[in-house]
Amino acid sequence: MVRDWLKTPVAGADRTRRRSVADVIATPPEEIPARTDLRLRIIGGVAIALLAILTLRLWSLQVVNQKSYTRAVNANVTRTVAVAANRGVIADRTNTILVGNVVHYDVTLSLVDATADPTLCARLGALLNLPASKVLALAKNPSYLPYQPAPIATDVSAVVVQYLAEHRSDFPGVAVSSFLNRSYPNGGTLGSDILGWVGQINGQELAQSPNVGYLPTSQVGKAGVEQEYEQFLRGASGKDILLVDSSGSVIGTTHDVAPKSGDTVVLNIDANLQHHVEQLLHDQILQDRASVDPRSHQHPRATSGAVVVMDPRTGAVLALASYPNYNLNEWVGGISTKNYKNLLASGALNNYALSGLYTPGSTFKLISATAALNDKLLNPSSYYNDKGTFTVPKCTGKQAGCTFHDDETAGTGLVNLPLAIIRSSDVYFYNIGYLFWSEQGRYGTEPIQKVGTAYGLDSQTGIDMPTEAYSRIDSPSIRNAEHLKYPKAFPFDSWYTGDNVEMAFGQGGTVVTPMALANAYATFANGGTRYAPEVAAAVVRPDGSVAVRYAPRAIGTVPLPSSTRDPILQGLIGVVNNPTGTAYATFKQFATFSPRQLLVAGKTGTASNQKGQEPNSWFASFAPAYNPKYVVLAVIAEGGYGASAAAPVVAKVYNYLAAHPISSVVLPSAGHPPVAPKPLH
Amino acid sequence: MPLRRPPRTERLRPESHRRQPTRPSRRLRRTLNSLALASMPGEALGVIVVVGLLSIFGLIMVASASAQPSVASYGNSWQFSVLQGFFLVFGVAVAGLVAKIRFDVWRPYASLGLGISLTSLVAVFFMSPTIGGAQRWIPLGIVNVQPSEFAKLIVVIWVAHHVATQLAGRPTQANVVIPALGVAGAFFGLIYFEPDLGTASIVVFSVLAILLIGGISMRWFLPIAGAGLLVGMAAVLFSTYQRARIANLFDQGHHWLQGNYQLHQSKTALGSGGIFGNGLGQGTLKWGAIPNPHTDFIFSVIGEEFGLVGTVAVLLLFMVLVGLGVRIATRAPSTYGAFLAMGITTWLGLQTLINVASVVGFFPVTGVPLPFISYGGTSLVVDLMAAGLLVSVALSIPRGRLTTVHDAPTAATTARARSDAHRRTSPATPAPRGGSRRAPVTRPRTTR
């Protein structure tokens, strides 16, 4: 063993060390020390050398780079914060604010600051009416880094804000930040379907629009005008450079890039008219639900409804109501998932004027009549005897639908085209459908659909709103396409005479949106030019200059020679003003204006639904008949007869229009910014 | 400070001394005299002065740096300072005791201590609260004790004892090295999993230093060092916590908000201090920007408040301490004392090195305190105990010319001291002299 220990070191250079080990073995341990001094000194030397290297490093940090680190310390005491831009205002045509902004205050506190002072949470909680544990839990928000301020309370009162400002030193780290929320000075329900709501931007939206001034906290339009005109409304965020002390409290602002406010979007909508129209629709639907249909003896369900008021000369949308409706204030400060789901389930979020698809019923007779007269299928002044039923000639009777009934079982008697419109003779139009189909060689297979397309009834209207449904006119080609696509749901691919007969008076597979039908009547009213409906009139910058002025946008024409237009117009005027007209009694009852004051032309529609359901009630109209300024259309789904549910609404809208004619659009300017609304009347 | 020996007459006449009313000045002088500073070897005095300076400066810096974390933990800004002051007083008392008592008194209990230390390290895994992601503490009522701090001291004592004992008998490389490595490995493993890689590696390096000066052959040492290096690298790579720190080390310019945050703030604090610093208490980054400003990162607070002057002064004090430790190890009359001194010196030096290197961004952050300065009761008390042991070893150095404080060393006194030393330290065997043989280390250097 001793040998072993002695043998291992061999190198001659280790001589001295080895000898000292030998000393150890030869002498008692406490007497002769055995150390390898060389190694000892090397270890000590290395340690001191390494510490000396650290000195060099300190020299480089503290002397050579001192300036840059001092700058970094200064960076620690300044903080760049983004300042959200004021979202643009939405105003109506009278320069009244429809959507504005309101400042509200949030209290924020970082987790580091919350734990730095254990009594802080309790004191802040007492001020905000929150338990201390809740304050701490809110500061622990995992979305924020521990030293980032997390929101503790939103929308605190001005009293609290002032108290915190005056007692800043008692609340280290507690900050108050101001936010802008959308405000609806007319109440959250006015025009909610047009205006739409805003919500916090999501990651996808943020990624899609880089470098336009969005912040992760930005509010963006999620529906309606807010969404459609987002690019004007959003503005651009700015920057503030804040001086903060070591506890993170702001002690001053050194420099800032001012945020750029969003532009004002001016709508063609008239707030008072809109309010009135919404109220009328709402009242009518509730009244409808309470009434009893004299023929079916049941309460109409009146599930939904819409009213469109347009200017036929420009396509400007003056009012657009949809029922059921919702309150935009639900979105202010964030809507809860539960509330959102409830709204979604109730259908209130649908804008029925744009996305409700309804069978047009007799209101479609405008299109059939235009097609028949333009194609000279019949002479408008020849009479036809409506005996109450129409049987398709040579029909074998094997298929259902050889015989069609008039709504009036007795028939309307001898009618020419204006009278057929006035009295809504279905048989007269069955005959048109039959004649077109039986003379395909001369008029083609889809002559009515062709005119319907020109009126804009088998597409979108092109309105400046983010969502809009496609209207559709039933036709042999659609039936064939549907059969090929969904053979089970649509077992028939053939088009029979009976189908053409049904189509000609607006039944069958034809569905249109209220907006599309209103625009079709507007096209007829103005003599044949189809404009894209426009909700917005202009965009005005915060300094009062006009960024965009939207001109009427003509997107199609319908040839309407006087040989076509006059007989139809005569019929439409008669509907309201001829004692045998379907809406005569209604207007007699409700209209407060004389025909001399405002001559209304219109058409009722009663579109059959499934068995057991009340029909959809329509009334499409324009006025004054010979120089149209307004198109007013109302529809109430499952509302009963056109004359009993929809026509009263329209009559009352004209009451308002006769008393309060709509003036031209007033744009805000530098001296005249949009004003807060007066109470609506 | 000219500390005079008490006049001989007073020592010879205890009665008259007792009758005299003791005046405070006299009592102070007596106390100082009882410390026998004047008669002490220079190394011992040096260690006392250096450690004293470091500890007092440390307390001041803890007071400066701990206000924010103290408020966060206790709601007042001075709690940590008071605790540290208490630990300093306690630690100095214990260290004084350890220094006064001969260091080999503890030797018979080395194995018992080792057992207790191992048990406590195992207990940590069951009892410790998790603080900052680590389990390092045993809660004892009012304080949490950190067994890994004691482990450093106990392993050094045991390995010094083991190697010295082996060398006194019939040593083989295997008998000396294998148990020492076994102990080092066991402690490394237990401490590594707390996790505390810094302390674990300090234990291993202290053992290796003792083995090195104990005469381990290079044939044994080089493979061991190689294997240790591999184990160390594996230990780092298998710990995600350390891996992230390593990744940060090589990516200091970027992503500082995620993981490099503390390092970035630490360097900013050091750098902004410049040459002379912003003045005591004037640091800004300790207010929440530097994490743990009173423990792991106290050196950056020193840098911000005292600048390069302060940091280099502290480093110089540690270099002097290492130098003194090496000197004590070379001069200690017994192998055990030398090993003890070397183990303690390696530990304190390496701990300083790791702490400062990680604060300046040279080394991954491991959470090792700066000896005598960082806040931490166990750490401070154990460091002071180690310093006490070092003093105790130093006191065993035979008094040569170094004891004559008043007189300048003359040729005569040096010669007398030399002969004194020889008489006292090697009475049994005459010291080998001359020729190719090297003189025993206890012989005072003539070239001084």
Side-chain angles (χ1 to χ4, degrees):
Chain A
M1 273 184 172
V2 178
R3 292 292 103 207
D4 193 17
W5 180 253
L6 279 172
K7 260 191 256 164
T8 38
V10 280
D14 282 336
R15 186 163 276 266
T16 51
R17 181 177 50 76
R18 224 161 83 214
R19 288 205 177 116
S20 67
V21 172
D23 289 342
V24 172
I25 296 150
T27 54
E30 296 304 318
E31 302 299 333
I32 304 286
R35 270 138 303 163
T36 47
D37 276 11
L38 182 64
R39 287 184 179 180
L40 216 161
R41 277 155 210 270
I42 288 174
I43 295 172
V46 166
I48 291 175
L50 287 174
L51 289 171
I53 290 173
L54 290 182
T55 309
L56 289 180
R57 168 66 167 180
L58 287 169
W59 174 270
S60 119
L61 280 176
Q62 301 195 277
V63 179
V64 180
N65 294 317
Q66 191 208 345
K67 272 189 186 156
S68 71
Y69 284 114
T70 307
R71 262 203 305 277
V73 171
N74 291 335
N76 269 4
V77 299
T78 61
R79 206 160 284 175
T80 305
V81 292
V83 186
N86 287 7
R87 197 170 166 81
V89 166
I90 303 176
D92 83 339
R93 67 189 296 128
T94 62
N95 201 16
T96 304
I97 295 173
L98 291 174
V99 183
N101 296 307
V102 66
V103 183
H104 75 107
Y105 298 96
D106 281 9
V107 173
T108 60
L109 177 64
S110 76
L111 182 56
V112 168
D113 291 320
T115 48
D117 183 349
T119 62
L120 179 63
C121 287
R123 281 183 285 124
L124 186 61
L127 191 65
L128 300 171
N129 274 333
L130 290 169
S133 56
K134 177 81 177 158
V135 173
L136 189 64
L138 287 165
K140 272 188 184 146
N141 191 336
S143 317
Y144 297 84
L145 292 171
Y147 46 87
Q148 280 183 330
I152 303 297
T154 52
D155 211 357
V156 297
S157 68
V159 179
V160 170
V161 173
Q162 195 173 353
Y163 185 87
L164 283 173
E166 285 168 2
H167 299 78
R168 186 179 277 169
S169 58
D170 293 347
F171 296 92
V174 175
V176 176
S177 38
S178 59
F179 290 91
L180 284 173
N181 263 349
R182 282 315 228 181
S183 74
Y184 305 100
N186 304 291
T189 55
L190 182 90
S192 55
D193 287 302
I194 307 164
L195 301 171
W197 63 88
V198 293
Q200 185 156 334
I201 192 165
N202 61 37
Q204 204 187 340
E205 289 162 339
L206 195 58
Q208 278 169 0
S209 315
N211 308 321
V212 297
Y214 278 137
L215 304 174
T217 53
S218 285
Q219 301 274 305
V220 295
K222 302 274 188 179
V225 170
E226 296 268 22
Q227 185 183 354
E228 186 76 19
Y229 291 94
E230 174 65 25
Q231 54 162 328
F232 297 110
L233 290 169
R234 65 187 168 211
S237 58
K239 262 179 199 163
D240 264 10
I241 296 165
L242 304 177
L243 275 174
V244 290
D245 62 12
S246 51
S247 67
S249 306
V250 177
I251 51 178
T253 309
T254 54
H255 178 251
D256 64 87
V257 178
K260 200 175 144 287
S261 294
D263 300 336
T264 300
V265 174
V266 182
L267 303 186
N268 285 314
I269 303 289
D270 182 291
N272 277 318
L273 175 68
Q274 174 73 24
H275 171 70
H276 209 74
V277 165
E278 281 177 9
Q279 201 60 47
L280 290 174
L281 178 65
H282 171 258
D283 293 350
Q284 182 64 45
I285 284 180
L286 293 194
Q287 192 190 327
D288 231 26
R289 287 174 182 173
S291 69
V292 178
D293 185 318
R295 292 182 216 200
S296 63
H297 305 291
Q298 62 181 358
H299 290 285
R301 285 174 59 219
T303 52
S304 62
V307 176
V308 178
V309 183
M310 288 179 71
D311 184 339
R313 297 167 297 182
T314 58
V317 178
L318 303 178
L320 196 69
S322 166
Y323 185 92
N325 204 355
Y326 58 89
N327 193 324
L328 287 167
N329 283 317
E330 298 225 32
W331 273 268
V332 174
I335 189 169
S336 71
T337 316
K338 190 178 151 223
N339 285 358
Y340 186 74
K341 278 186 176 160
N342 287 345
L343 281 178
L344 211 56
S346 71
L349 297 187
N350 295 333
N351 185 348
Y352 288 99
L354 295 182
S355 48
L357 284 168
Y358 304 98
T359 311
S362 299
T363 53
F364 191 76
K365 287 172 182 168
L366 169 70
I367 287 82
S368 304
T370 307
L373 295 182
N374 275 357
D375 286 351
K376 303 200 167 31
L377 183 75
L378 43 73
N379 184 337
S381 35
S382 344
Y383 284 87
Y384 180 87
N385 194 2
D386 172 10
K387 289 181 227 156
T389 56
F390 178 82
T391 304
V392 177
K394 294 180 217 152
C395 184
T396 55
K398 281 192 181 160
Q399 302 129 8
C402 273
T403 301
F404 296 88
H405 293 271
D406 210 340
D407 194 61
E408 301 281 343
T409 43
T412 52
L414 280 174
V415 287
N416 57 12
L417 189 126
L419 276 175
I421 291 174
I422 291 167
R423 296 175 190 168
S424 204
S425 164
D426 293 342
V427 172
Y428 188 93
F429 284 90
Y430 296 149
N431 188 42
I432 289 177
Y434 165 73
L435 289 176
F436 267 127
W437 190 244
S438 57
E439 293 188 48
Q440 285 178 39
R442 202 165 150 197
Y443 305 111
T445 51
E446 302 183 352
I448 298 177
Q449 287 87 341
K450 224 165 70 191
V451 173
T453 304
Y455 272 116
L457 290 181
D458 74 347
S459 61
Q460 292 181 313
T461 62
I463 190 171
D464 51 343
M465 292 288 270
T467 46
E468 188 190 2
Y470 284 84
S471 304
R472 190 189 72 177
I473 306 167
D474 209 0
S475 71
S477 48
I478 285 179
R479 173 159 309 183
N480 198 27
E482 275 183 339
H483 172 75
L484 288 175
K485 210 167 173 189
Y486 309 106
K488 275 193 184 154
F490 301 96
F492 307 110
D493 67 335
S494 333
W495 182 262
Y496 298 103
T497 315
D499 295 315
N500 220 47
V501 166
E502 274 204 323
M503 184 274 296
F505 89 113
Q507 290 285 154
T510 302
V511 283
V512 297
T513 64
M515 189 72 236
L517 194 61
N519 206 32
Y521 274 80
T523 306
F524 179 83
N526 68 32
T529 308
R530 182 159 63 94
Y531 295 104
E534 280 177 344
V535 172
V539 176
V540 179
R541 297 193 192 92
D543 61 9
S545 62
V546 177
V548 192
R549 181 74 172 93
Y550 295 105
R553 203 150 44 93
I555 52 172
T557 51
V558 180
L560 288 171
S562 60
S563 61
T564 301
R565 192 169 182 270
D566 292 351
I568 299 174
L569 182 59
Q570 199 185 339
L572 293 176
I573 293 170
V575 168
V576 178
N577 299 289
N578 186 311
T580 61
T582 48
Y584 178 80
T586 308
F587 273 76
K588 186 114 184 129
Q589 185 185 348
F590 294 108
T592 54
F593 54 91
S594 68
R596 197 177 293 252
Q597 238 179 310
L598 196 68
L599 186 64
V600 177
K603 182 72 196 84
T604 53
T606 307
S608 305
N609 278 315
Q610 289 166 352
K611 216 178 170 105
Q613 287 183 352
E614 286 288 298
N616 293 342
S617 175
W618 287 91
F619 194 77
S621 68
F622 52 90
Y626 295 108
N627 180 24
K629 289 180 183 164
Y630 311 114
V631 165
V632 182
L633 176 141
V635 59
I636 296 174
E638 298 179 42
Y641 274 77
S644 59
V649 177
V650 174
K652 288 170 188 167
V653 171
Y654 281 120
N655 285 347
Y656 176 88
L657 289 171
H660 309 93
I662 302 300
S663 52
S664 56
V665 175
V666 180
L667 292 182
S669 58
H672 297 89
V675 293
K678 297 183 205 76
L680 297 166
H681 51 263
Chain B
M1 177 172 52
L3 284 163
R4 284 195 297 110
R5 276 181 195 218
R8 212 161 248 286
T9 50
E10 214 169 81
R11 282 203 281 184
L12 288 175
R13 291 191 302 179
E15 296 85 8
S16 65
H17 165 78
R18 223 179 281 136
R19 265 183 241 117
Q20 294 248 333
T22 36
R23 277 176 289 135
S25 63
R26 185 168 288 177
R27 191 186 291 164
L28 177 70
R29 192 194 290 164
R30 254 210 332 276
T31 315
L32 288 174
N33 284 336
S34 77
L35 292 175
L37 291 177
S39 60
M40 201 174 264
E43 292 88 345
L45 195 60
V47 169
I48 290 170
V49 169
V50 168
V51 169
L53 284 175
L54 285 172
S55 303
I56 291 166
F57 184 61
L59 183 61
I60 293 169
M61 286 319 296
V62 165
S64 168
S66 70
Q68 191 266 333
S70 177
V71 166
S73 305
Y74 295 103
N76 63 64
S77 58
W78 39 262
Q79 188 83 29
F80 278 135
S81 321
V82 168
L83 281 173
Q84 184 78 347
F86 167 76
F87 286 125
L88 182 59
V89 170
F90 178 73
V92 165
V94 171
L97 220 63
V98 169
K100 281 288 257 187
I101 299 168
R102 271 188 67 82
F103 59 91
D104 38 13
V105 166
W106 315 106
R107 207 172 152 179
Y109 309 106
S111 295
L112 179 67
L114 195 75
I116 294 171
S117 185
L118 264 177
T119 314
S120 66
L121 282 174
V122 172
V124 158
F125 290 103
F126 302 102
M127 298 170 70
S128 173
T130 303
I131 303 174
Q135 287 187 305
R136 299 175 181 172
W137 297 268
I138 289 183
L140 286 183
I142 48 164
V143 286
N144 288 345
V145 172
Q146 201 174 340
S148 57
E149 290 292 332
F150 283 105
K152 289 185 282 198
L153 181 62
I154 286 163
V155 168
V156 164
I157 292 176
W158 188 85
V159 173
H161 157 72
H162 162 75
V163 176
T165 312
Q166 287 293 318
L167 291 190
R170 294 158 182 267
T172 64
Q173 289 280 342
N175 282 355
V176 171
V177 173
I178 290 171
L181 279 187
V183 166
F187 276 80
F188 177 86
L190 284 171
I191 300 173
Y192 170 72
F193 283 111
E194 279 183 357
D196 189 352
L197 183 61
T199 304
S201 39
I202 287 167
V203 168
V204 170
F205 274 101
S206 306
V207 171
L208 285 181
I210 295 173
L211 285 176
L212 259 178
I213 63 163
I216 183 175
S217 95
M218 280 297 154
R219 270 198 202 168
W220 281 76
F221 180 75
L222 291 178
I224 288 166
L229 213 62
L230 284 178
V231 169
M233 280 164 69
V236 167
L237 290 178
F238 282 116
S239 145
T240 46
Y241 163 81
Q242 286 299 339
R243 221 171 24 222
R245 296 263 168 106
I246 299 265
N248 288 341
L249 189 64
F250 291 107
D251 189 20
Q252 290 182 8
H254 305 98
H255 316 303
W256 58 269
L257 267 182
Q258 276 80 39
N260 252 332
Y261 173 73
Q262 41 183 342
L263 195 52
H264 170 85
Q265 297 293 13
S266 162
K267 289 198 294 182
T268 305
L270 282 167
S272 66
I275 296 178
F276 298 106
N278 303 326
L280 177 63
Q282 300 302 308
T284 56
L285 290 157
K286 63 191 179 189
W287 296 102
I290 306 174
N292 302 326
H294 59 314
T295 60
D296 303 349
F297 284 91
I298 197 160
F299 195 73
S300 33
V301 179
I302 295 173
E304 189 179 8
E305 301 192 352
F306 289 99
L308 186 70
V309 173
T311 53
V312 169
V314 168
L315 279 189
L316 275 177
L317 282 175
F318 276 110
M319 284 190 240
V320 168
L321 186 64
V322 168
L324 284 170
V326 169
R327 200 173 148 91
I328 291 167
T330 54
R331 294 193 160 200
S334 70
T335 44
Y336 171 60
F339 294 158
L340 212 51
M342 197 56 209
I344 290 168
T345 305
T346 310
W347 145 27
L348 293 177
L350 191 62
Q351 190 166 327
T352 308
L353 206 62
I354 291 178
N355 178 279
V356 176
S358 50
V359 165
V360 299
F362 266 8
F363 198 74
V365 178
T366 53
V368 165
L370 188 60
F372 309 112
I373 294 183
S374 283
Y375 171 80
T378 319
S379 164
L380 180 63
V381 170
V382 171
D383 290 346
L384 286 171
M385 281 167 76
L389 263 183
L390 204 54
V391 171
S392 179
V393 175
L395 287 176
S396 76
I397 297 172
R399 270 198 293 150
R401 61 183 172 88
L402 291 166
T403 56
T404 55
V405 179
H406 310 296
D407 315 316
T410 60
T413 53
T414 313
R416 194 175 67 236
R418 190 187 295 157
S419 64
D420 271 3
H422 278 276
R423 259 202 307 284
R424 223 173 318 119
T425 52
S426 48
T429 42
R433 281 172 185 259
S436 62
R437 291 207 134 194
R438 192 169 160 279
V441 185
T442 39
R443 198 187 72 188
R445 290 288 175 283
T446 47
T447 54
R448 280 271 162 173

